[in-house]
Structure formats: structure tokens, C-alpha cells
Amino acid sequence: MQEKTLNFFEKVYEVARLIPDGRVTSYGAIAKYLGAAKSARMVGYAMNGSGAKDVPAHRVVNRKGLLTGKFHFDGTNLMQQLLENEGVTVVENQIQNFESLFWDPAKEL
DNA sequence: CTCTTGACTGAGG
DNA sequence: GCCTCAGCCAAGA
């Protein structure tokens, strides 16, 4: 198992793909699971390349359940549409019932 | 090498 | 609950 092969970014993509449908998580949760709780920003930064990956970045939001990165998809309500398509209710870029839909990799995995 | 810019978070007021 | 500040780390200029 090549540790170096899997960069921090790659690990972020891996965890993001493990997010179940209709569930969401936060950047900090992923970062913490990777052992870099202080690098939550890097998780979001890593998502910059998520467009070229099969990573469901729309399931990753900030700790408030707010769709901070919705503008990075295409600048429209695409991110919200994707979440609603999975059964997640989103209002004003904010996930409803966020605590119930929250999926913590450190606990679920 | 230095400075700026972030899809963030926690603490303090 | 909202606003502001500081810490965090990586990439680009």
C-alpha cells in the first residue's frame, strides 16, 4: 500500500466517493478523518479538481450545512438540484435537517 | 523566497 | 445567532 501514492487530495476524493446517497458531510469531518483537522481548507481546495474526478462534491458542505461551493459547480443551483435529487432538502443554499443527514467518515467508517 | 488567495473552523465579543 | 479575528496549509504569481 503506497502511502505516498495517495496524496492528501486523493484521499479527499476517496472519502467523498464513500459518502452515501442522501447524506452529506463537512470539510472538517473529512479533514479530521484524514488526520488533518486543521487542513479543512485544503479539502475544499482539493475539490477544485473534483470536476475532473467522479467525486460528488455536492455532498460536501461546510460545518453549517451551507452550500458554500455551489458557485464552483456552474454558478447556478446545480449543486442544490443534485442534493434534492438524492432526497436532501435544500433551502437558500442551506441543507435542512443537516444534523440528521450528516455523515461522519470517522464514525461511519 | 515572499505575498495573496481560498469549496474552513473555532474562539471571542 | 451573527460578525470578526486568527490559525491552518497548499498552490499560483
Side-chain angles (χ1 to χ4, degrees):
Chain A
M1 192 50 188
Q2 318 90 315
E3 306 284 323
K4 309 256 176 153
T5 312
L6 293 177
N7 293 326
F8 183 80
F9 284 43
E10 294 297 325
K11 289 187 177 182
V12 174
Y13 302 143
E14 289 289 307
V15 176
R17 285 187 209 142
L18 295 175
I19 302 174
D21 296 5
R23 294 294 210 100
V24 291
T25 189
S26 65
Y27 301 95
I30 297 174
K32 184 176 184 180
Y33 173 71
L34 298 179
K38 299 173 181 181
S39 302
R41 304 180 97 147
M42 298 298 87
V43 177
Y45 195 86
M47 286 309 196
N48 268 310
S50 64
K53 312 283 184 181
D54 296 332
V55 179
H58 57 273
R59 295 182 187 152
V60 185
V61 295
N62 68 353
R63 71 177 178 93
K64 298 182 236 175
L66 191 64
L67 308 187
T68 52
K70 90 167 217 176
F71 296 100
H72 286 262
F73 277 80
D74 63 345
T76 63
N77 56 339
L78 174 63
M79 188 173 184
Q80 179 176 330
Q81 291 294 297
L82 291 171
L83 288 169
E84 292 184 329
N85 186 36
E86 296 181 353
V88 179
T89 305
V90 180
V91 177
E92 294 287 284
N93 303 328
Q94 185 174 283
I95 296 176
Q96 304 304 296
N97 198 14
F98 177 60
E99 293 183 27
S100 298
L101 297 174
F102 186 73
W103 180 82
D104 188 346
K107 294 176 181 177
E108 300 297 331
L109 300 181

